[in-house]
Amino acid sequence: CHDLKGELHEFDSYWRTDDCYDCSCSRDGINCCSSFATPADYDEEKCASIFNKETCTYKVVEKDDHSKECPVYKWVG
């Protein structure tokens, strides 16, 4: 299988992309899905979600003070 970057992957192989998607290659083609959960229910006026590509996780923090985390009531992904 060739991925979007043109890299060749063997059948029945698995890898994680730079954008934190877990992919696999089979004779049917490539299948990718997110390896992370996305915050879906939090105070968007007071808080902001920040994605960390190194850990493939979101953190939801206060816009005015990134040292304070905000509660998240629902995650999707």
Side-chain angles (χ1 to χ4, degrees):
C1 302
H2 282 95
D3 63 20
L4 292 175
K5 290 183 172 181
E7 293 180 31
L8 183 63
H9 299 272
E10 294 182 11
F11 291 128
D12 300 321
S13 65
Y14 299 87
W15 68 96
R16 180 167 282 177
T17 68
D18 294 337
D19 294 330
C20 298
Y21 283 83
D22 290 329
C23 299
S24 63
C25 170
S26 71
R27 297 198 183 273
D28 294 327
I30 291 178
N31 182 37
C32 296
C33 61
S34 64
S35 64
F36 52 88
T38 303
D41 185 9
Y42 62 93
D43 185 346
E44 293 185 36
E45 287 185 27
K46 180 181 176 185
C47 306
S49 64
I50 300 171
F51 188 70
N52 182 331
K53 277 190 173 184
E54 290 183 21
T55 62
C56 296
T57 58
Y58 275 98
K59 188 174 187 180
V60 180
V61 294
E62 290 186 7
K63 290 179 180 177
D64 295 336
D65 185 352
H66 285 194
S67 69
K68 295 181 181 177
E69 290 194 43
C70 295
V72 179
Y73 304 104
K74 182 169 64 170
W75 295 83
V76 294

